[in-house]
Amino acid sequence: MKYTSQAVAKPYFIFALTLLAGEILFGILMGIQYVWGDFLFPLIPFNVLRMVHTNLLIVTLLFGFMGATYYLIPEETESELWSPKLAIITFWIFAAAGVATILGYLFVPYATLTEWTFNNLLPTMGREFLEQPLPTKVGIVIVVLSYILNTAMTILKGRRTVITTVLLTGLLGLAVFFLFAFYVPDNLIQDKFFWWFTVHLWVEATWELILGAILAFVLIKVTGVDREHIDKWLYLIIAMTMVSGILGTGHHFFYMGAPEYWLWIGSISSAVEPLPFLLMILFAFTMARERKIEHKNKMALTWAKGTAVMAFLGAGVWGFFHTLAPVNMYTHGTQLTAAHGHLSFYGAYVMIVFTVISYAMPILRGRPYGNCAKAQKVELASFWMMNIGMVGLTLALSIAGLVQIFDQRVGTNLIGFMDSQESIAGIYMVRLAFGFLVFTGLLTYFYSFFVKEPAVEPAKV
């Protein structure tokens, strides 16, 4: 560890992984309820499980991004973090607010929670992914602003690189677009517009900048390729991301009362959205092929290449499957949408968190050249278990979605929702089995931290 302030990243990484375990566990409970509908009912109904599952995912990624930022910014700027104390205070405020919110979801009826948290003063609750009570939303704004302040001040007093510029731009976008969560128009169509300004422009624009910056940082460290070479790739990817991602918001405005020109804007721009992810694959594999060092931490490079591939499959390929308006008319809201959501969030964002943790955590634990060979072997097994599990889960959901489409939306012999759900119950069991494989992979990943052998020797340059 070159800078002592990088140590503040460690609690962020540990908490992010803990939250991820909870997120997958609640996903498995939902999977069980798809098969046995009365499981845990009325103790934890499906809507509460889903709310906890998705909110844990968002908070997991935010903690992962913050940990990654606090680790990489000192090395990029060649200076200590502006305020390590602020980063630690922010951690505890965010962790306490997050835990309190999840406990509120689980133990307080949602209607009562709205009354207790002043939703009558400024109604912001009740929308998917943005269910957080008003005090939590205000807390997120405070935490994100202090996070940006800490990052920006560190950049201002140190070296500025393309990675710091891209990262800070992504963080500013993250803050600005979250503000739309505080505005809930009475008009349902307008409400959908502003809701997507937060949800889509986080996931398919600003978060991709953060992803690109973290990926570039790790690739520089584990390949030794010249920074100028990596910067050119990063500029190209970010330019494609911004053009396709911002206009791509239009694919959420199909058939909801918005003007018809959105059918064309959304379809054309969204069809281009896989390109930045394809470039990301070329970027990661080209850097790996042209690497100038044989870094002993092979798992960091494995996760980096895996991130590029899985992000392309989830966000690119599975997104393209139903991004054209004439197709989306039949697919939207089916399990095919869920398949796209699961693989894209995992491939693009969960895996980049694994990538930076796999690189940084051994260093933070006093192993500058990576974990020992035995620990990396265990980590590699967890890598394949989680990836095979997610691909299997995605394929199962995709098949379930296709059955739904033909059951309910194509042809003349259509059946009702519950009859269709019964017809795909067997597929849900397959999906559940792959969900267990993902969770087992995560537990195996945790185990890799406790494998003890002498740390590996320095890399040969």
Side-chain angles (χ1 to χ4, degrees):
M1 189 167 59
K2 292 182 180 178
Y3 301 90
T4 55
S5 59
Q6 288 178 291
V8 302
K10 193 172 180 180
Y12 282 92
F13 289 149
I14 293 172
F15 199 62
L17 291 175
T18 306
L19 292 174
L20 180 62
E23 188 263 347
I24 296 175
L25 189 60
F26 276 91
I28 288 174
L29 294 178
M30 288 172 63
I32 295 173
Q33 284 196 349
Y34 264 105
V35 180
W36 295 283
D38 291 335
F39 180 72
L40 288 181
F41 185 83
L43 186 62
I44 313 179
F46 181 85
N47 64 307
V48 173
L49 285 177
R50 189 178 187 279
M51 187 164 57
V52 175
H53 176 62
T54 55
N55 277 248
L56 278 175
L57 173 63
I58 294 168
V59 180
T60 295
L61 298 178
L62 291 178
F63 269 98
F65 293 161
M66 293 170 83
T69 302
Y70 290 139
Y71 183 84
L72 74 84
I73 280 293
E75 289 196 18
E76 282 297 298
T77 59
E78 297 181 340
S79 64
E80 293 287 358
L81 197 62
W82 180 65
S83 175
K85 187 177 290 184
L86 179 61
I88 292 297
I89 292 171
T90 303
F91 169 80
W92 285 110
I93 291 175
F94 199 16
V99 170
T101 302
I102 296 301
L103 292 176
Y105 290 161
L106 288 172
F107 297 109
V108 181
Y110 195 70
T112 306
L113 194 62
T114 63
E115 296 173 5
W116 287 3
T117 55
F118 316 110
N119 193 60
N120 59 322
L121 298 178
L122 180 62
T124 65
M125 297 175 69
R127 293 188 294 176
E128 189 180 13
F129 306 126
L130 301 178
E131 297 94 346
Q132 305 85 23
L134 180 61
T136 304
K137 286 193 175 80
V138 173
I140 290 173
V141 170
I142 294 171
V143 166
V144 171
L145 288 179
S146 67
Y147 167 39
I148 292 174
L149 173 68
N150 215 348
T151 305
M153 293 304 290
T154 309
I155 293 172
L156 286 174
K157 73 185 180 76
R159 182 182 64 162
R160 296 167 200 177
T161 67
V162 173
I163 290 177
T164 60
T165 302
V166 171
L167 179 62
L168 188 58
T169 306
L171 298 184
L172 290 171
L174 185 151
V176 169
F177 291 117
F178 184 69
L179 296 179
F180 291 110
F182 288 88
Y183 179 54
V184 185
D186 292 332
N187 184 297
L188 186 59
I189 298 170
Q190 290 179 357
D191 173 55
K192 285 296 179 186
F193 268 90
F194 287 104
W195 181 74
W196 282 118
F197 288 163
T198 296
V199 176
H200 174 92
L201 292 176
W202 264 24
V203 176
E204 298 185 47
T206 59
W207 285 15
E208 287 184 30
L209 303 189
I210 300 170
L211 159 65
I214 298 172
L215 184 62
F217 171 79
V218 174
L219 285 174
I220 287 174
K221 297 298 177 183
V222 299
T223 66
V225 172
D226 294 338
R227 178 179 292 274
E228 292 75 16
H229 193 32
I230 284 184
D231 286 350
K232 290 174 185 173
W233 277 93
L234 190 56
Y235 274 131
L236 187 60
I237 292 168
I238 295 310
M240 289 293 298
T241 297
M242 296 307 290
V243 171
S244 61
I246 293 174
L247 287 176
T249 316
H251 69 235
H252 298 294
F253 301 153
F254 298 161
Y255 314 114
M256 54 169 261
E260 286 189 9
Y261 55 74
W262 283 111
L263 300 179
W264 289 95
I265 295 174
S267 296
I268 294 170
S269 56
S270 300
V272 183
E273 282 195 81
L275 292 182
F277 292 101
L278 180 61
L279 285 173
M280 210 173 286
I281 291 182
L282 298 174
F283 170 50
F285 281 80
T286 302
M287 296 306 105
R289 190 180 62 246
E290 297 177 356
R291 63 184 178 272
K292 295 181 177 178
I293 61 172
E294 287 295 334
H295 202 289
K296 293 295 183 182
N297 188 344
K298 297 185 183 303
M299 280 310 303
L301 184 57
T302 302
W303 281 111
K305 291 191 291 186
T307 298
V309 173
M310 296 298 279
F312 173 68
L313 290 176
V317 176
W318 255 262
F320 183 75
F321 281 161
H322 58 144
T323 199
L324 302 178
V327 178
N328 189 273
M329 183 169 63
Y330 295 97
T331 60
H332 192 76
T334 66
Q335 294 291 355
L336 196 59
T337 307
H340 163 53
H342 277 79
L343 196 58
S344 57
F345 268 105
Y346 171 78
Y349 301 121
V350 174
M351 285 192 70
I352 195 61
V353 172
F354 277 126
T355 300
V356 70
I357 290 177
S358 183
Y359 171 73
M361 274 299 271
I363 300 172
L364 291 169
R365 299 175 71 207
R367 301 172 179 180
Y369 306 107
N371 287 324
C372 64
K374 186 178 178 183
Q376 291 197 50
K377 191 174 180 180
V378 174
E379 190 178 343
L380 183 62
S382 75
F383 171 90
W384 284 113
M385 278 194 278
M386 283 191 273
N387 280 287
I388 292 172
M390 285 306 301
V391 170
L393 185 153
T394 301
L395 288 173
L397 284 173
S398 302
I399 295 170
L402 289 174
V403 174
Q404 270 187 292
I405 293 164
F406 285 101
D407 276 351
Q408 297 188 278
R409 301 183 182 182
V410 177
T412 54
N413 297 318
L414 304 181
I415 61 176
F417 175 78
M418 294 309 295
D419 290 333
S420 177
Q421 291 297 300
E422 190 173 347
S423 73
I424 54 182
I427 302 173
Y428 285 148
M429 294 193 73
V430 175
R431 187 269 296 269
L432 181 59
F434 280 113
F436 275 113
L437 180 60
V438 174
F439 191 60
T440 306
L442 181 65
L443 295 179
T444 306
Y445 180 76
F446 289 164
Y447 171 67
S448 72
F449 285 97
F450 300 98
V451 175
K452 292 184 178 178
E453 268 190 15
V456 295
E457 296 298 321
K460 294 178 181 178
V461 181

